[in-house]
Amino acid sequence: MRFGVVIFPGSNGDHDALTSVELGLKEEVVPIWHKDTTIGECDALLIPGGFTYGDYLRAGAIARFSPIMAAVEEFAHNGGPILGMCNGFQILTEAGLLPGALLPNAELTFRCEWINVRVETDRTPFTAAIDPGTVLHLPIAHGQGRYVVTPQQLAELEANDQIVFRYTDAQGQEHDDYNPNGSTAHIAGVCNQRGNVVGLMPHPERAYDALIGGDEGLKILRSVVQADLMAVRG
Amino acid sequence: MIEESTATGRSYLAEVFVSLKAAVNDPQGLAIRDGLRSLGYADVEAVRAGKYLRVTLRAASSDDAHAQVTRMCDQLLTNPVIETYQISITVLADH
Amino acid sequence: MIEESTATGRSYLAEVFVSLKAAVNDPQGLAIRDGLRSLGYADVEAVRAGKYLRVTLRAASSDDAHAQVTRMCDQLLTNPVIETYQISITVLADH
Amino acid sequence: MTVTITPEALREVALTRTEYDQIFELLGREPSPVELGMFGAMWSEHCGYKNSRPLLKHFPTTGSRVLQGPGENAGAVDIGDGLAVVFKIESHNHPSAVEPYEGAATGVGGIVRDIFTMGARPIALLNSLRFGPLDVPRNQYLFNGVVGGIGGYGNCLGIPTVAGDIYFDAKYNGNPLVNAMCVGIVEHDKIMRAKASGVGNLVVLVGADTGRDGIHGATFASVENPEESHRGVVQVGNPFLEKLLLEACLEALEVDGVVAMQDLGAAGLTSSIVECASKGEVGIEIDVQRVSRRERGMSAYEVMLSESQERMLIIVTAEGLPELRSIFERWDLHSDVIGTVTADGRVRILDGDSIAADVPASFYVDDCPVYVREGIESPDNIAARQRDLSDLTDLTSDDVFPALFQLLASHNVCSREPVIRTYDHTIMSNTVTGPLEADAAVVRVKGTNKALAVKADCNPRYVFLDPFLGGQHAVAEAARNVSCVGAEPLALTNCLNFGSPEKPEGYFQLQQAVLGMAKAAEALGTPVVSGNVSLYNESGDEAILPTPTIGMVGLIEDVSRRAGLAPPDGSVLILIGQQSATLGASEYLAVQHGLVAGSPPDLDLPVEHNVQLLVRSLIADGVVSAAHDTSEGGLLVAMAEMLIAARTGASIALQPLRAVNDGRLDRTCFGEAASRVIVAVPNANVDVVLGRATEVGLDALRLGTVGGGQLTLDVAGSVAVAELRETWESGLKHGR
Ligand SMILES: Nc1ncnc2c1ncn2[C@@H]1O[C@H](COP(=O)(O)OP(=O)(O)O)[C@@H](O)[C@H]1O
Ligand SMILES: [Mg+2]
């Protein structure tokens, strides 16, 4: 399976996204420059973390207008799997491919640490091979991860099964103390209605090797490979 | 780099005031309010933090400037999901 | 949460417009300017990014409110090393 | 001679009348305003090292692994596999005293440029910070701003901030220290240097537009009381632009025609052009009109002295130019061809068709005056060091735990987690051992089995009370930290933060500390490959504590053979090395008795070397499972830190140690000593460890066994480690 990693000015998680697929998943992966207008032969897209355009104005606000985004939207509309991680998540919400918005953390400082998220649904290609309820140990590193939606949007997300990850403790229990940024309803990641576009604040692409603190991010990346194989089988 | 615009018309200053929607939590505003109170400003009731953008542009008229900046706000400068904005236009003496 | 202040007087809204001093580098403004230009707004000459604070407070008079908020700016709301500010006061209908 | 220069004009450029006369002599005429400004910058302490250059000669700077020593933008050391580690530490003290967030942020930006200017990919950041006590609001403000700026810039660049140190003392009131260190990796044959060559080659300026930022930054970094003396516009960093510059420059180094690269730091274009010309023994001619400006109406003087951030100078052949330009265009960065390399060795600055400056590069560099001064130790320091501590009342066993709690809460000892969590330390997926997990950070080198261990360190109280001995300690402790994770210390970088060298006691501290550092670096086989000097750190006429920050880099050949500081349950704690400790210069003395006095611990460098060798070999052979050296707070604090990290307890016998510490509990528990390390050993290996220590003539003492939730001492009873943890964690609070 072939992954594409979209690189914008100020992306800095592109290296981790590329190496997690290459060294962790051992699948094929290619960089895609934001000035390109096509994404070529890719089966899945990763929108990496970083500070595109310095996160100036709003995180992801300027990057969403890059030339490549038209092709990304088309890929999304054709049902292609897209995973936005951290800044990638922010770009996808700014682009309207995912609901809600990401604001500065409640405590107003950047936060980098290993946390736990609970997988809420297996309807997305990035969680298809993970049992709902599974707790994943992943790093976060962001200053603007407070996920915000209106109450009725939240109701819709719940109704449509669009909440993909929630912050929890190691046992999978939700408490406010384990919500690192003040996100609404402890939401760490969501998907679009169709389920093929997923965004999350944590960094699965930094968790692909026990040597660097954990490898549970691979479950998310591997999931899309298996989903793809199943799709191929029919 | 300083670029002289080729456009005709004159220079306007558009001031854009961006606020978070009332329904959206504003921890920064709360932190500032608490900071002020701890400095002894007991009469502070609330603080909301937003953005103040000064856009200098050339336009045919004040209305044209307003129309352009309105489009900029809807497209890029603000996020309708969480923000509202106001615009004020003033003419600049030409350099 | 809104606290009822014990102070007499009435409620005022102080709008504080914080800008970077003219000569100070404004990376955010530059990025926004370039973003607007790449969206086709060729007539944008410059963008400066600042803060917009809405402070609601009780005060004896509009002058009192202005004086208080001026002190707040010098003490906490702005960074005099790189920023300048303007204040505008309006009376709020009492709740 | 008849010279019309005014004292005001000289103060503006921080030159003395004598120095001005030297310039007049050299030129045989009065310097033009631009020339005078350039001399002022190049002859400042910051660029010219007027007071420190003769002292720096004492440092050992060569070694079998050293590929580049002092003299370039950063040092380079061989780590095998055709790779080199490139690193340097630099201060941004004065800017941070004026505007803490931007001062610290641009400090990070500057040191990162020094690394990729060498062609290396930056892979880790460190920082060493010093502040006055946090109960002073201004200090809390500086602390929050500096920490925010370091994170704000480094996080955006996507370089992990993995280690550092923070220390508080009233002597840093008004003079915080912000030292930033960057470590990068490069292939030997890709190391780039700042040596201009090839007459007719083009001088290209890339990156940010030039504004009126920080004019005279270099000169104001060389005068006292920065807050008053600071003129010019505060620099605001743009980490986003630096990220583009970093990627574009690393690509540009692949272009054939690129012969030299030099970042613009202190003194901006002036220093970069002069450095490139003088290193290459060529001339350079530029036209300031070709420099892209951020503001209208800037003079040649302002352009030459602007310290606008995120700019880089590249020397390239005419053939190489098109490819170079296309790379920068791809990254949306414009590149200005501002001049050419010439044969005449002169630095000629044109302003359109008029000549603003025309002086041989050597005048700025080789003719920079050097001051060898007379150092005299202040009588107060001698008195403080000689203070007899034996009259202090010892702790009773009931006092031991209360004292331990007090030390764990001390801002110089407590957890740095509230700060560390605001720094991205997992990006680049190389961080094997992050902050809080060990004495040094361990960062793997992708594509090899190796890892680097890095640490920045300095105990300024030791240096204050005995500069020569304290200088040795700074190097020894940094090396010990690196050895404690299992790495062989390879080389070091250093930042000399001192007060005014024009005061005899200030010069004494600088001189003695440098001699001490040199001695230890020699003995431990860790040459000095780069560094930076920041003098005149005084406010009022209070100088800071003398602070020669050491940045140590070590190598782990097999990353699977390393140690952290958390001991597994059931393991045995053994103290290797020095058993007798002293209260002199200790954190205990400061916290419990409010005393900064006594002599720092003795340091026998051969013994120190032995201890580190043994610990490393024990880790490499997989015999020990954890290691931790004992620094501020002594043995008991070190042990508490290990148990807190492992969320476990231990039962410990200290009576044997008490015997060798004149029966004193305070010395036994909280006295400080060099050349000792606590290791955690699986029961089966205890005899091996004791045996191998004896073989190399080192003491090794079995302290006790790890397990349970309590720390139990034969000399003081028990306490819950969870309580110790709570105190240790709640010491520092940081918020923006
Ligand atoms: N304390 C020191 N020890 C060793 N080398 C030093 C020291 N201070 C400065 N140097 C060396 O002097 C040169 C100039 O230093 P500096 O002015 O900081 O460089 P830059 O202009 O790149 O910041 C560098 O090669 C640096 O490594
Ligand atoms: Mg340099």
Side-chain angles (χ1 to χ4, degrees):
Chain A
M1 172 165 189
R2 194 150 189 257
F3 287 76
V5 174
V6 183
I7 303 175
F8 299 89
S11 296
N12 62 25
D14 47 334
H15 169 83
D16 294 332
L18 291 163
T19 49
S20 62
V21 174
E22 211 171 285
L23 306 179
L25 216 51
K26 306 206 163 46
E27 294 282 339
E28 198 187 341
V29 62
V30 294
I32 300 171
W33 184 237
H34 73 114
K35 287 180 184 173
D36 297 349
T37 49
T38 64
I39 58 165
E41 296 300 301
C42 290
D43 309 299
L45 286 186
L46 302 179
I47 318 289
F51 287 70
T52 51
Y53 296 93
D55 273 1
Y56 297 134
L57 194 59
R58 298 178 311 278
I62 302 178
R64 65 162 282 207
F65 292 106
S66 282
I68 192 64
M69 286 307 287
V72 171
E73 279 167 37
E74 190 192 342
F75 188 78
H77 291 129
N78 298 337
I82 302 178
L83 182 68
M85 301 162 286
C86 199
N87 195 234
F89 185 14
Q90 292 159 339
I91 293 169
L92 293 174
T93 56
E94 280 284 338
L97 288 169
L98 288 173
L102 291 146
L103 273 64
N105 297 350
E107 72 185 22
L108 300 174
T109 55
F110 190 95
R111 222 166 138 157
C112 174
E113 65 196 314
W114 285 77
I115 51 87
N116 299 293
V117 294
R118 189 180 62 214
V119 176
E120 301 292 86
T121 176
D122 58 2
R123 69 181 278 248
T124 84
F126 297 95
T127 52
I130 311 174
D131 298 331
T134 305
V135 175
L136 302 177
H137 190 55
L138 301 173
I140 57 164
H142 59 253
Q144 301 188 39
R146 180 168 48 110
Y147 185 71
V148 172
V149 282
T150 62
Q152 73 268 25
Q153 279 174 308
L154 179 59
E156 287 165 22
L157 292 183
E158 307 256 13
N160 305 336
D161 191 15
Q162 286 179 257
I163 300 170
V164 184
F165 302 100
R166 277 198 164 93
Y167 299 107
T168 67
D169 64 18
Q171 287 68 43
Q173 299 305 312
E174 294 173 46
H175 325 263
D176 290 348
D177 313 359
Y178 289 83
N179 180 343
N181 49 33
S183 290
T184 307
H186 306 137
I187 292 173
V190 298
C191 64
N192 60 350
Q193 284 219 15
R194 186 168 174 178
N196 61 309
V197 181
V198 175
L200 80 169
M201 286 314 295
H203 288 283
E205 82 284 13
R206 297 188 196 179
Y208 63 87
D209 183 345
L211 183 63
I212 52 170
D215 59 5
E216 296 188 346
L218 282 179
K219 292 187 180 168
I220 293 173
L221 297 174
R222 192 173 294 117
S223 188
V224 68
V225 179
Q226 296 174 353
D228 188 60
L229 295 178
M230 290 185 275
V232 171
R233 283 195 209 89
Chain B
M1 191 163 2
I2 296 161
E3 286 168 11
E4 286 302 341
S5 162
T6 54
T8 54
R10 55 199 303 186
S11 286
Y12 293 85
L13 169 65
E15 293 175 289
V16 181
F17 314 106
V18 185
S19 314
L20 279 176
K21 285 181 174 171
V24 179
N25 289 348
D26 177 15
Q28 193 187 357
L30 292 174
I32 297 171
R33 184 200 65 185
D34 297 345
L36 288 171
R37 287 185 177 165
S38 69
L39 285 173
Y41 296 99
D43 294 338
V44 173
E45 290 176 336
V47 177
R48 301 281 292 176
K51 296 189 196 113
Y52 173 48
L53 303 173
R54 296 167 64 89
V55 180
T56 321
L57 75 164
R58 295 195 67 87
S61 67
S62 172
D63 290 354
D64 172 32
H66 196 285
Q68 284 196 52
V69 175
T70 305
R71 282 201 306 281
M72 296 178 194
C73 286
D74 297 338
Q75 251 186 300
L76 173 65
L77 298 183
T78 73
N79 178 348
V81 178
I82 46 171
E83 294 169 329
T84 60
Y85 64 89
Q86 282 177 307
I87 299 170
S88 129
I89 305 281
T90 45
V91 186
L92 291 177
D94 260 328
H95 29 248
Chain C
M1 116 228 86
I2 303 293
E3 284 172 12
E4 275 310 328
S5 159
T6 53
T8 53
R10 54 200 303 185
S11 285
Y12 293 85
L13 169 66
E15 293 175 289
V16 182
F17 314 106
V18 185
S19 326
L20 285 170
K21 288 179 180 170
V24 173
N25 186 21
D26 177 11
Q28 175 159 232
L30 295 173
I32 297 170
R33 180 201 63 190
D34 296 346
L36 287 171
R37 285 186 181 161
S38 67
L39 283 177
Y41 296 99
D43 294 339
V44 173
E45 290 178 334
V47 176
R48 303 281 290 175
K51 289 191 227 104
Y52 173 49
L53 303 172
R54 296 167 64 90
V55 179
T56 329
L57 75 165
R58 294 191 70 84
S61 68
S62 163
D63 289 354
D64 173 32
H66 196 284
Q68 284 197 52
V69 174
T70 305
R71 283 200 305 280
M72 296 179 193
C73 287
D74 298 337
Q75 270 183 281
L76 181 77
L77 299 182
T78 74
N79 177 353
V81 180
I82 51 175
E83 294 172 333
T84 60
Y85 63 88
Q86 280 178 308
I87 298 170
S88 127
I89 303 283
T90 46
V91 188
L92 292 177
D94 256 326
H95 33 242
Chain D
M1 64 190 152
T2 58
V3 176
T4 62
I5 187 78
T6 66
E8 295 67 36
L10 285 177
R11 219 171 297 119
E12 176 79 8
V13 293
L15 289 170
T16 66
R17 177 61 199 228
T18 328
E19 287 167 342
Y20 181 85
D21 293 341
Q22 278 170 275
I23 294 168
F24 192 102
E25 289 296 316
L26 284 165
L27 298 177
R29 60 174 169 83
E30 288 194 21
S32 73
V34 173
E35 288 167 345
L36 186 61
M38 292 173 70
F39 270 107
M42 294 311 296
W43 286 15
S44 69
E45 179 61 38
H46 191 88
C47 296
Y49 296 88
K50 281 188 271 201
N51 295 286
S52 46
R53 218 183 318 154
L55 294 174
L56 301 184
K57 292 201 171 65
H58 294 290
F59 286 142
T61 58
T62 57
S64 54
R65 286 177 177 270
V66 176
L67 302 173
Q68 176 64 59
E72 276 290 333
N73 286 296
V77 176
D78 176 29
I79 58 168
D81 300 313
L83 297 175
V85 58
V86 173
F87 59 99
K88 181 170 186 280
I89 192 168
E90 189 156 63
S91 68
H92 231 216
N93 304 338
H94 295 77
S96 304
V98 176
E99 209 318 280
Y101 184 97
E102 296 300 337
T106 51
V108 172
I111 195 61
V112 169
R113 282 193 297 282
D114 276 336
I115 300 311
F116 70 78
T117 304
M118 298 287 295
R121 159 74 61 181
I123 62 161
L125 283 165
L126 298 82
N127 58 84
S128 179
L129 311 178
R130 301 289 182 272
F131 303 94
L134 289 183
D135 49 24
V136 178
R138 174 72 186 172
N139 293 336
Q140 182 74 55
Y141 171 78
L142 291 171
F143 175 72
N144 291 350
V146 164
V147 169
I150 287 172
Y153 206 100
N155 295 347
C156 183
L157 277 181
I159 304 168
T161 300
V162 297
D165 77 328
I166 308 177
Y167 193 96
F168 301 88
D169 188 281
K171 285 235 173 13
Y172 297 107
N173 282 330
N175 259 109
L177 300 186
V178 176
N179 293 180
M181 173 173 168
C182 186
V183 180
I185 295 280
V186 63
E187 291 161 37
H188 289 186
D189 53 4
K190 296 230 169 105
I191 296 178
M192 177 52 60
R193 290 185 172 80
K195 196 164 161 291
S197 64
V199 172
N201 280 346
L202 303 170
V203 178
V204 184
L205 180 62
V206 299
D209 293 338
T210 297
R212 292 190 170 91
D213 309 275
I215 288 168
H216 288 310
T219 35
F220 105 83
S222 309
V223 298
E224 293 167 26
N225 299 328
E227 288 181 57
E228 290 89 90
S229 61
H230 178 60
R231 298 185 295 319
V233 183
V234 169
Q235 308 158 4
V236 169
N238 184 351
F240 166 59
L241 201 145
E242 174 114 336
K243 169 67 172 168
L244 304 184
L245 190 62
L246 158 63
E247 298 302 333
C249 286
L250 289 182
E251 273 182 38
L253 288 161
E254 304 291 325
V255 176
D256 277 345
V258 171
V259 301
M261 212 184 255
Q262 170 63 43
D263 66 304
L264 280 75
L269 261 176
T270 295
S271 136
S272 306
I273 286 171
V274 169
E275 293 280 329
C276 282
S278 116
K279 288 199 177 101
E281 291 169 344
V282 293
I284 287 182
E285 173 176 296
I286 67 159
D287 180 351
V288 291
Q289 305 246 332
R290 302 217 206 140
V291 174
S292 301
R293 323 280 175 93
R294 207 175 65 226
E295 296 167 67
R296 295 186 170 80
M298 288 179 70
S299 68
Y301 185 96
E302 290 173 316
V303 171
M304 288 311 295
L305 290 171
S306 160
E307 295 192 350
S308 290
Q309 301 291 300
E310 293 96 23
R311 299 180 298 163
M312 184 73 74
L313 200 71
I314 300 177
I315 312 285
V316 63
T317 61
E319 301 68 40
L321 183 66
E323 189 182 349
L324 184 76
R325 287 209 121 145
S326 65
I327 289 172
F328 284 91
E329 272 154 30
R330 181 163 175 277
W331 287 97
D332 304 315
L333 296 168
H334 57 81
S335 43
D336 305 332
V337 176
I338 61 170
T340 55
V341 175
T342 65
D344 62 10
R346 301 178 74 84
V347 171
R348 195 173 299 104
I349 310 301
L350 306 179
D351 186 358
D353 34 25
S354 69
I355 295 178
D358 186 2
V359 172
S362 61
F363 287 10
Y364 293 116
V365 180
D366 310 342
D367 292 306
C368 174
V370 172
Y371 302 120
V372 179
R373 301 178 184 275
E374 176 69 16
I376 303 162
E377 182 165 30
S378 95
D380 299 359
N381 278 39
I382 297 171
R385 179 173 57 249
Q386 291 175 346
R387 166 99 161 63
D388 175 15
L389 303 173
S390 58
D391 61 352
L392 295 172
T393 41
D394 189 11
L395 292 169
T396 69
S397 27
D398 295 348
D399 306 329
V400 169
F401 287 131
L404 177 57
F405 276 103
Q406 210 175 345
L407 275 164
L408 289 175
S410 149
H411 281 171
N412 287 339
V413 172
C414 69
S415 173
R416 273 75 182 106
E417 193 272 345
V419 170
I420 286 157
R421 81 141 83 129
T422 68
Y423 301 152
D424 189 340
H425 50 83
T426 54
I427 189 148
M428 292 186 99
S429 52
N430 292 328
T431 309
V432 174
T433 307
L436 300 176
E437 295 176 84
D439 286 349
V442 177
V443 177
R444 69 170 169 178
V445 180
K446 285 201 185 85
T448 74
N449 207 16
K450 296 174 175 161
L452 298 172
V454 292
K455 181 69 169 84
D457 220 302
C458 177
N459 181 327
R461 202 179 281 143
Y462 287 5
V463 186
F464 176 71
L465 284 164
D466 187 335
F468 182 66
L469 179 54
Q472 298 176 54
H473 272 292
V475 172
E477 184 178 349
R480 203 181 310 129
N481 283 320
V482 161
S483 291
C484 281
V485 299
E488 177 192 1
L490 297 182
L492 66 87
T493 183
N494 72 103
C495 190
L496 300 171
N497 308 272
F498 287 79
S500 168
E502 295 166 31
K503 297 179 181 163
E505 59 273 27
Y507 192 78
F508 177 86
Q509 292 177 329
L510 176 63
Q511 175 192 52
Q512 292 304 306
V514 165
L515 292 173
M517 292 157 71
K519 183 180 176 200
E522 192 72 64
L524 299 178
T526 54
V528 176
V529 296
S530 65
N532 176 250
V533 176
S534 171
L535 305 181
Y536 300 94
N537 291 288
E538 309 205 351
S539 49
D541 52 7
E542 259 274 60
I544 57 164
L545 290 181
T547 314
T549 308
I550 304 297
M552 187 67 69
V553 174
L555 180 66
I556 302 179
E557 287 291 341
D558 174 357
V559 66
S560 68
R561 294 305 174 90
R562 62 182 193 276
L565 57 74
D569 278 356
S571 57
V572 173
L573 295 183
I574 295 176
L575 178 66
I576 292 176
Q578 188 76 20
Q579 295 190 354
S580 122
T582 174
L583 296 181
S586 68
E587 182 70 16
Y588 169 84
L589 206 55
V591 168
Q592 281 274 316
H593 298 276
L595 277 178
V596 175
S599 180
D602 310 330
L603 179 55
D604 179 331
L605 288 165
V607 172
E608 176 70 39
H609 194 49
N610 257 334
V611 170
Q612 293 189 29
L613 273 175
L614 176 61
V615 169
R616 264 155 28 211
S617 68
L618 290 174
I619 295 170
D621 301 347
V623 179
V624 306
S625 41
H628 186 27
D629 78 323
T630 73
S631 57
E632 288 91 352
L635 184 73
L636 211 46
V637 164
M639 215 173 326
E641 288 167 346
M642 295 176 83
L643 299 177
I644 287 170
R647 289 181 145 82
T648 183
S651 166
I652 302 296
L654 291 179
Q655 278 303 352
L657 274 182
R658 191 175 182 172
V660 288
N661 284 280
D662 302 339
R664 290 188 68 110
L665 270 178
D666 50 10
R667 267 181 61 192
T668 307
C669 297
F670 305 114
E672 297 178 14
S675 315
R676 65 174 180 178
V677 173
I678 304 173
V679 293
V681 184
N683 225 323
N685 297 344
V686 169
D687 294 336
V688 182
V689 172
L690 298 178
R692 283 175 61 169
T694 325
E695 276 168 33
V696 293
L698 290 173
D699 292 334
L701 176 69
R702 180 189 181 120
L703 294 169
T705 307
V706 177
Q710 302 274 314
L711 170 59
T712 304
L713 301 177
D714 58 347
V715 297
S718 295
V719 65
V721 171
E723 287 175 38
L724 297 175
R725 176 189 194 96
E726 210 185 310
T727 301
W728 179 74
E729 282 179 344
S730 55
L732 263 192
K733 285 276 157 281
H734 157 259
R736 290 275 307 285

